[in-house]
PDB file of all heavy atoms in Angstrom:
ATOM      1  N   ILE X  37       8.744 -17.846   9.938  1.00  0.00           N
ATOM      2  CA  ILE X  37       9.720 -18.436   8.996  1.00  0.00           C
ATOM      3  C   ILE X  37      10.184 -17.356   8.011  1.00  0.00           C
ATOM      4  O   ILE X  37      11.363 -17.284   7.647  1.00  0.00           O
ATOM      5  CB  ILE X  37       9.071 -19.627   8.232  1.00  0.00           C
ATOM      6  CG1 ILE X  37       8.524 -20.629   9.230  1.00  0.00           C
ATOM      7  CG2 ILE X  37      10.062 -20.280   7.271  1.00  0.00           C
ATOM      8  CD1 ILE X  37       7.596 -21.677   8.625  1.00  0.00           C
ATOM      9  N   TYR X  38       9.251 -16.530   7.595  1.00  0.00           N
ATOM     10  CA  TYR X  38       9.556 -15.429   6.663  1.00  0.00           C
ATOM     11  C   TYR X  38      10.667 -14.546   7.260  1.00  0.00           C
ATOM     12  O   TYR X  38      11.683 -14.274   6.619  1.00  0.00           O
ATOM     13  CB  TYR X  38       8.280 -14.625   6.429  1.00  0.00           C
ATOM     14  CG  TYR X  38       8.379 -13.452   5.477  1.00  0.00           C
ATOM     15  CD1 TYR X  38       8.252 -13.629   4.102  1.00  0.00           C
ATOM     16  CD2 TYR X  38       8.542 -12.152   5.961  1.00  0.00           C
ATOM     17  CE1 TYR X  38       8.304 -12.542   3.234  1.00  0.00           C
ATOM     18  CE2 TYR X  38       8.595 -11.061   5.100  1.00  0.00           C
ATOM     19  CZ  TYR X  38       8.475 -11.265   3.741  1.00  0.00           C
ATOM     20  OH  TYR X  38       8.528 -10.188   2.888  1.00  0.00           O
ATOM     21  N   ASP X  39      10.488 -14.151   8.525  1.00  0.00           N
ATOM     22  CA  ASP X  39      11.502 -13.299   9.179  1.00  0.00           C
ATOM     23  C   ASP X  39      12.832 -14.039   9.323  1.00  0.00           C
ATOM     24  O   ASP X  39      13.898 -13.460   9.084  1.00  0.00           O
ATOM     25  CB  ASP X  39      11.010 -12.869  10.570  1.00  0.00           C
ATOM     26  CG  ASP X  39       9.949 -11.788  10.467  1.00  0.00           C
ATOM     27  OD1 ASP X  39       9.843 -11.157   9.402  1.00  0.00           O
ATOM     28  OD2 ASP X  39       9.215 -11.579  11.449  1.00  0.00           O
ATOM     29  N   GLU X  40      12.753 -15.311   9.690  1.00  0.00           N
ATOM     30  CA  GLU X  40      13.996 -16.086   9.882  1.00  0.00           C
ATOM     31  C   GLU X  40      14.756 -16.232   8.566  1.00  0.00           C
ATOM     32  O   GLU X  40      15.981 -16.101   8.526  1.00  0.00           O
ATOM     33  CB  GLU X  40      13.668 -17.481  10.446  1.00  0.00           C
ATOM     34  CG  GLU X  40      13.278 -17.451  11.910  1.00  0.00           C
ATOM     35  CD  GLU X  40      12.614 -18.746  12.382  1.00  0.00           C
ATOM     36  OE1 GLU X  40      12.447 -19.688  11.573  1.00  0.00           O
ATOM     37  OE2 GLU X  40      12.245 -18.785  13.564  1.00  0.00           O
ATOM     38  N   GLN X  41      14.016 -16.481   7.500  1.00  0.00           N
ATOM     39  CA  GLN X  41      14.694 -16.657   6.203  1.00  0.00           C
ATOM     40  C   GLN X  41      15.310 -15.347   5.708  1.00  0.00           C
ATOM     41  O   GLN X  41      16.389 -15.346   5.116  1.00  0.00           O
ATOM     42  CB  GLN X  41      13.719 -17.219   5.168  1.00  0.00           C
ATOM     43  CG  GLN X  41      13.358 -18.669   5.446  1.00  0.00           C
ATOM     44  CD  GLN X  41      12.518 -19.313   4.350  1.00  0.00           C
ATOM     45  OE1 GLN X  41      12.066 -18.646   3.418  1.00  0.00           O
ATOM     46  NE2 GLN X  41      12.290 -20.617   4.478  1.00  0.00           N
ATOM     47  N   ILE X  42      14.636 -14.235   5.972  1.00  0.00           N
ATOM     48  CA  ILE X  42      15.209 -12.937   5.580  1.00  0.00           C
ATOM     49  C   ILE X  42      16.524 -12.724   6.324  1.00  0.00           C
ATOM     50  O   ILE X  42      17.529 -12.302   5.743  1.00  0.00           O
ATOM     51  CB  ILE X  42      14.227 -11.784   5.875  1.00  0.00           C
ATOM     52  CG1 ILE X  42      13.057 -11.846   4.900  1.00  0.00           C
ATOM     53  CG2 ILE X  42      14.919 -10.423   5.794  1.00  0.00           C
ATOM     54  CD1 ILE X  42      11.957 -10.849   5.187  1.00  0.00           C
ATOM     55  N   GLU X  43      16.502 -13.046   7.601  1.00  0.00           N
ATOM     56  CA  GLU X  43      17.717 -12.857   8.405  1.00  0.00           C
ATOM     57  C   GLU X  43      18.850 -13.759   7.913  1.00  0.00           C
ATOM     58  O   GLU X  43      20.010 -13.373   7.902  1.00  0.00           O
ATOM     59  CB  GLU X  43      17.401 -13.176   9.866  1.00  0.00           C
ATOM     60  CG  GLU X  43      18.289 -12.413  10.816  1.00  0.00           C
ATOM     61  CD  GLU X  43      17.624 -12.247  12.177  1.00  0.00           C
ATOM     62  OE1 GLU X  43      16.495 -11.735  12.233  1.00  0.00           O
ATOM     63  OE2 GLU X  43      18.258 -12.660  13.135  1.00  0.00           O
ATOM     64  N   ALA X  44      18.474 -14.968   7.462  1.00  0.00           N
ATOM     65  CA  ALA X  44      19.496 -15.935   7.029  1.00  0.00           C
ATOM     66  C   ALA X  44      20.024 -15.615   5.624  1.00  0.00           C
ATOM     67  O   ALA X  44      21.144 -15.996   5.276  1.00  0.00           O
ATOM     68  CB  ALA X  44      18.914 -17.336   7.061  1.00  0.00           C
ATOM     69  N   ASN X  45      19.223 -14.911   4.812  1.00  0.00           N
ATOM     70  CA  ASN X  45      19.667 -14.609   3.438  1.00  0.00           C
ATOM     71  C   ASN X  45      20.856 -13.646   3.452  1.00  0.00           C
ATOM     72  O   ASN X  45      20.938 -12.777   4.318  1.00  0.00           O
ATOM     73  CB  ASN X  45      18.526 -13.942   2.649  1.00  0.00           C
ATOM     74  CG  ASN X  45      17.557 -14.959   2.077  1.00  0.00           C
ATOM     75  OD1 ASN X  45      17.844 -16.139   2.038  1.00  0.00           O
ATOM     76  ND2 ASN X  45      16.405 -14.486   1.634  1.00  0.00           N
ATOM     77  N   ASP X  46      21.760 -13.802   2.474  1.00  0.00           N
ATOM     78  CA  ASP X  46      22.890 -12.868   2.365  1.00  0.00           C
ATOM     79  C   ASP X  46      22.372 -11.461   2.088  1.00  0.00           C
ATOM     80  O   ASP X  46      22.871 -10.477   2.607  1.00  0.00           O
ATOM     81  CB  ASP X  46      23.822 -13.289   1.218  1.00  0.00           C
ATOM     82  CG  ASP X  46      24.564 -14.565   1.587  1.00  0.00           C
ATOM     83  OD1 ASP X  46      24.629 -14.862   2.801  1.00  0.00           O
ATOM     84  OD2 ASP X  46      25.032 -15.265   0.671  1.00  0.00           O
ATOM     85  N   ASN X  47      21.365 -11.387   1.213  1.00  0.00           N
ATOM     86  CA  ASN X  47      20.755 -10.093   0.900  1.00  0.00           C
ATOM     87  C   ASN X  47      19.380 -10.041   1.582  1.00  0.00           C
ATOM     88  O   ASN X  47      18.475 -10.796   1.218  1.00  0.00           O
ATOM     89  CB  ASN X  47      20.613  -9.953  -0.627  1.00  0.00           C
ATOM     90  CG  ASN X  47      19.939  -8.652  -1.018  1.00  0.00           C
ATOM     91  OD1 ASN X  47      19.440  -7.909  -0.168  1.00  0.00           O
ATOM     92  ND2 ASN X  47      19.909  -8.374  -2.316  1.00  0.00           N
ATOM     93  N   PRO X  48      19.200  -9.148   2.585  1.00  0.00           N
ATOM     94  CA  PRO X  48      17.932  -9.121   3.320  1.00  0.00           C
ATOM     95  C   PRO X  48      16.736  -8.677   2.465  1.00  0.00           C
ATOM     96  O   PRO X  48      15.596  -8.767   2.910  1.00  0.00           O
ATOM     97  CB  PRO X  48      18.201  -8.101   4.440  1.00  0.00           C
ATOM     98  CG  PRO X  48      19.318  -7.253   3.941  1.00  0.00           C
ATOM     99  CD  PRO X  48      20.145  -8.119   3.042  1.00  0.00           C
ATOM    100  N   HIS X  49      17.015  -8.196   1.262  1.00  0.00           N
ATOM    101  CA  HIS X  49      15.922  -7.740   0.392  1.00  0.00           C
ATOM    102  C   HIS X  49      15.446  -8.830  -0.561  1.00  0.00           C
ATOM    103  O   HIS X  49      14.491  -8.634  -1.307  1.00  0.00           O
ATOM    104  CB  HIS X  49      16.363  -6.509  -0.395  1.00  0.00           C
ATOM    105  CG  HIS X  49      16.749  -5.377   0.511  1.00  0.00           C
ATOM    106  ND1 HIS X  49      15.842  -4.737   1.309  1.00  0.00           N
ATOM    107  CD2 HIS X  49      17.948  -4.815   0.765  1.00  0.00           C
ATOM    108  CE1 HIS X  49      16.457  -3.805   2.019  1.00  0.00           C
ATOM    109  NE2 HIS X  49      17.744  -3.842   1.704  1.00  0.00           N
ATOM    110  N   GLU X  50      16.154  -9.947  -0.540  1.00  0.00           N
ATOM    111  CA  GLU X  50      15.804 -11.038  -1.451  1.00  0.00           C
ATOM    112  C   GLU X  50      14.511 -11.706  -0.995  1.00  0.00           C
ATOM    113  O   GLU X  50      14.261 -11.822   0.211  1.00  0.00           O
ATOM    114  CB  GLU X  50      16.944 -12.056  -1.392  1.00  0.00           C
ATOM    115  CG  GLU X  50      17.056 -12.956  -2.586  1.00  0.00           C
ATOM    116  CD  GLU X  50      18.271 -13.852  -2.395  1.00  0.00           C
ATOM    117  OE1 GLU X  50      19.413 -13.329  -2.480  1.00  0.00           O
ATOM    118  OE2 GLU X  50      18.070 -15.031  -2.107  1.00  0.00           O
TER     119      GLU X  50
END
Side-chain angles (χ1 to χ4, degrees):
I37 305 167
Y38 181 85
D39 285 342
E40 286 165 0
Q41 289 187 352
I42 289 174
E43 208 155 305
N45 277 346
D46 290 341
N47 178 352
H49 300 294
E50 202 177 289

